[in-house]
Amino acid sequence: MPGEESLEEGVLNPSKPTVEPDIQDPLLRQLLQTSPPPQPQQQPVPTPRAEVDCIVIGTGAGGAPLLARLAMAGLKVVALEAGPRHDARRDFATDEKAQEFLFWNDERLSAGRTPTSFGNNNSGTGVGGSTLHYTAYTPRAQPDDLRLRTEFGVGEDWPLSYDDLAPYYDELEHFLGISGPSPYPWGPARRRGYPLAPLPLNGAAQLMQRACEQLGIRTSPAANAALSARYYQEGIGWREACTNRGFCQAGCSVGAKASMDVTFLPLAEAHGAEIWPNCFVTEIERDAQGAITGVVYETDGQQQRLGCRTLFLCAGAVETPRLLLLNELALSSGQVGRNFMAHPGIQVWGTFDEMVRPYKGIPGALISEDTHRPTDADFAGGYLLQSIGVMPVTFASQVARGRGLWGQPLRDYMRQYNHIAGINILGDCLPHADNYLELADEKDARGLPKPRVHFSFHDNEERMTAHAEKLMRRIWDAAGARDIWAFPRSAHVIGTCRMGLSGDYAVVDTDGRAFGVPNLYICDNSVFPSALSVNPALTIMALSLRTADRFLETQKRLDTKTKS
């Protein structure tokens, strides 16, 4: 370790951030000086080669952990990332519009009664994937989240248990440096507490906390993958503590947020993995027996091929099924693209006399899981409550859509921005036959069919949303809010390649291996059989590590059998 710094489990030495103020926000400085935005840096084109042991498509929460695991096992691995590699200190500004390059901005078509939105809502691009702009909310799933059909007779059970995931949850919390309360008030007892103390509660969290206490609702500082103190990161060194600037969705410029570009990806590269940015995979090649032999990708306007012994597809719940449908791969179950889910995520906003400053602090600072299984519920599953921090442009767009304000009325309302606070839910969603992804006739810039996603809330999601809105309005009433209003929405994209015990109704098995394609593994939020009533990032990473471990165990057995 550098210098005389020392590290103990959960006891770290805070110090002043090392990021100099004069270089922290170059993009914002340029915008304020009305100069044109910087052009993307020229990035090296990867050197073509014949074959590697494993190709990983995608470098987000699904691809990065297993990439590191495979590299650490000595395998020759290459990750292909559709987007560029970013330098956080140079590229990430405290400015929303300047950071739109972090989102997957290729057009995706939406259909259904409650069509889901994409872009900054659901996906990212660049080395690190969606974790570059996720809000770092990392609660664990609870055991009964994985047993929805057993508990309620609807939805689907997972083919694995909480105990299968718990060791990986624990490993991740300590590798990433999760800040959170110990003990955590809900769910099973933990083997050990979070390594760091909770981050400070922002204005919205303090208001929500006071009101929930009056109403007898338990709350707690949330578990966040952002550092409340300096933390030593294997493969990268010391990461600095969160500065509470609140722009997590615009990219963390100091490395305090545990995005994959400052956690698993440096570790993977330290062990020999290669990450090739700006490589968009279009084709998956197979031999006569149906085994994958390699992929074709576009980079720098050229098509290249890379062979492999095993392919790990970790491109998310939209691009993963899209690539499978384009290549007519792993379709025997008829479930690729089916069972699309999105979390009910209604937000309730209020205006307060107190100064809130909703741009400050970690966005999701306070949580309650007292609504995980409400006693008065008329729906299956449950939801969590969380306070909301929001950036001004994002909030203005929601006001325009949610309240129909524009022009001077919108400007007048936005003058209250510093006195606004919100709460939202993250709720379970059932799989429904009419919620699915398909390939549209309309083509993208590469000449490939665009994905079209059909999504509608059904009775269960509507009843859950109504229950949550009523409760959140009570909370803001108790907090003294005025002008309370709701913004219906959904969050995250889930399902489309679900995991199961049989290839008759699932795309992959419990190890993430595709039925009927022995050297194809899928590892991202597409394999979730149910949506869960928590944010998905931590569970995606846990599945990623588990998939890697199960694959490596299989390889050891094969090697032993070959030698014998």
Side-chain angles (χ1 to χ4, degrees):
M1 298 182 190
E4 297 181 355
E5 300 282 8
S6 62
L7 171 67
E8 301 173 32
E9 182 176 291
V11 181
L12 303 171
N13 299 314
S15 71
K16 293 181 180 179
T18 59
V19 178
E20 297 86 351
D22 62 326
I23 65 169
Q24 184 164 344
D25 283 324
L27 291 181
L28 178 57
R29 185 168 58 251
Q30 290 180 22
L31 287 170
L32 292 174
Q33 294 172 350
T34 66
S35 59
Q39 297 301 309
Q41 296 283 321
Q42 185 67 33
Q43 305 204 15
V45 178
T47 303
R49 65 201 62 189
E51 186 177 84
V52 294
D53 293 323
C54 304
I55 294 174
V56 178
I57 300 176
T59 58
L66 69 83
L67 180 71
R69 203 71 130 207
L70 299 177
M72 293 173 76
L75 296 178
K76 185 184 295 183
V77 289
V78 168
L80 301 177
E81 167 58 49
R85 186 188 289 267
H86 304 293
D87 181 333
R89 294 178 65 187
R90 183 195 65 214
D91 297 340
F92 294 171
T94 307
D95 181 89
E96 293 175 75
K97 299 301 290 181
Q99 295 305 102
E100 290 180 347
F101 63 81
L102 291 176
F103 310 137
W104 189 286
N105 291 312
D106 289 3
E107 185 177 41
R108 291 159 168 178
L109 307 178
S110 293
R113 295 189 305 277
T114 50
T116 191
S117 60
F118 293 104
N120 65 346
N121 186 42
N122 283 320
S123 58
T125 185
V127 174
S130 297
T131 67
L132 295 174
H133 68 83
Y134 80 145
T135 55
Y137 218 61
T138 48
R140 295 185 181 191
Q142 293 199 31
D144 56 359
D145 276 320
L146 309 177
R147 302 191 305 264
L148 203 62
R149 176 164 285 277
T150 297
E151 299 283 335
F152 293 97
V154 294
E156 290 294 329
D157 287 347
W158 286 50
L160 44 76
S161 70
Y162 176 87
D163 290 339
D164 293 316
L165 296 177
Y168 295 104
Y169 283 150
D170 181 82
E171 178 183 351
L172 286 161
E173 287 161 358
H174 285 262
F175 175 76
L176 300 173
I178 303 296
S179 302
S182 296
Y184 188 74
W186 300 277
R190 313 287 178 87
R191 187 171 73 86
R192 51 182 174 170
Y194 289 114
L196 293 175
L199 287 156
L201 297 183
N202 59 10
Q206 292 176 43
L207 289 166
M208 175 181 165
Q209 184 184 52
R210 294 203 306 263
C212 285
E213 186 175 356
Q214 294 177 40
L215 297 174
I217 300 169
R218 289 181 301 166
T219 62
S220 169
N224 283 290
L227 304 179
S228 60
R230 292 188 83 210
Y231 201 75
Y232 189 80
Q233 180 69 60
E234 184 180 358
I236 196 171
W238 287 95
R239 287 168 50 213
E240 299 301 330
C242 177
T243 59
N244 294 300
R245 76 196 234 282
F247 273 65
C248 302
Q249 286 186 295
C252 180
S253 61
V254 299
K257 186 176 75 170
S259 49
M260 298 299 97
D261 60 319
V262 297
T263 53
F264 279 107
L265 295 179
L267 181 62
E269 290 184 305
H271 286 271
E274 296 182 39
I275 299 170
W276 296 359
N278 297 312
C279 292
F280 190 100
V281 176
T282 57
E283 297 179 37
I284 300 174
E285 297 180 341
R286 286 158 284 172
D287 61 19
Q289 288 71 45
I292 291 170
T293 57
V295 303
V296 175
Y297 60 93
E298 293 182 5
T299 184
D300 198 30
Q302 302 294 319
Q303 279 200 339
Q304 303 284 354
R305 179 190 182 277
L306 179 62
C308 65
R309 294 171 55 195
T310 306
L311 177 65
F312 293 84
L313 183 50
C314 313
V318 173
E319 292 304 312
T320 285
R322 182 193 188 198
L323 195 54
L324 294 177
L325 291 169
L326 284 170
N327 288 274
E328 299 182 349
L329 184 64
L331 304 184
S332 59
S333 67
Q335 296 301 309
V336 171
R338 313 303 298 185
N339 314 301
F340 179 90
M341 295 171 282
H343 286 126
I346 186 172
Q347 299 173 340
V348 173
W349 300 95
T351 303
F352 294 83
D353 293 333
E354 297 96 326
M355 184 72 78
V356 178
R357 295 188 178 91
Y359 58 89
K360 294 189 70 172
I362 192 77
L366 193 75
I367 188 172
S368 176
E369 291 197 55
D370 273 11
T371 51
H372 176 71
R373 294 290 183 265
T375 56
D376 61 343
D378 58 350
F379 52 84
Y383 59 90
L384 61 78
L385 295 167
Q386 68 179 87
S387 59
I388 312 172
V390 66
M391 296 178 286
V393 176
T394 299
F395 185 62
S397 70
Q398 293 183 186
V399 173
R401 288 178 289 148
R403 306 197 72 173
L405 300 181
W406 193 248
Q408 191 60 46
L410 176 61
R411 295 178 66 181
D412 292 342
Y413 182 84
M414 285 302 296
R415 287 192 173 93
Q416 306 173 81
Y417 167 72
N418 277 321
H419 293 266
I420 296 291
I423 317 173
N424 79 318
I425 72 164
L426 204 291
D428 215 329
C429 177
L430 299 181
H432 301 288
D434 59 348
N435 289 341
Y436 63 94
L437 177 148
E438 64 180 350
L439 299 180
D441 293 333
E442 188 175 334
K443 303 295 176 64
D444 65 12
R446 295 180 178 87
L448 302 173
K450 294 178 180 178
R452 179 188 292 116
V453 175
H454 299 256
F455 183 68
S456 301
F457 278 161
H458 285 239
D459 287 345
N460 199 71
E461 292 77 41
E462 290 172 350
R463 289 195 293 268
M464 180 184 294
T465 296
H467 184 280
E469 180 179 353
K470 182 179 178 181
L471 177 58
M472 289 188 287
R473 286 180 178 273
R474 283 182 59 213
I475 293 170
W476 275 164
D477 275 334
R482 61 181 186 278
D483 191 19
I484 300 171
W485 61 281
F487 181 69
R489 61 187 282 276
S490 61
H492 307 119
V493 289
I494 307 162
T496 69
C497 294
R498 74 179 172 194
M499 176 192 300
L501 297 173
S502 168
D504 293 337
Y505 62 88
V507 180
V508 300
D509 65 16
T510 55
D511 297 341
R513 185 166 67 175
F515 289 106
V517 189
N519 62 341
L520 170 65
Y521 288 77
I522 300 174
C523 189
D524 51 35
N525 46 352
S526 72
V527 305
F528 284 25
S530 67
L532 308 179
S533 59
V534 294
N535 304 63
L538 191 70
T539 300
I540 298 171
M541 295 181 215
L543 285 175
S544 182
L545 292 177
R546 184 178 185 276
T547 296
D549 284 350
R550 302 291 284 180
F551 168 75
L552 292 170
E553 288 172 12
T554 301
Q555 298 307 298
K556 287 178 183 177
R557 290 196 296 269
L558 290 174
D559 290 344
T560 302
K561 185 176 180 180
T562 301
K563 290 176 183 177
S564 62

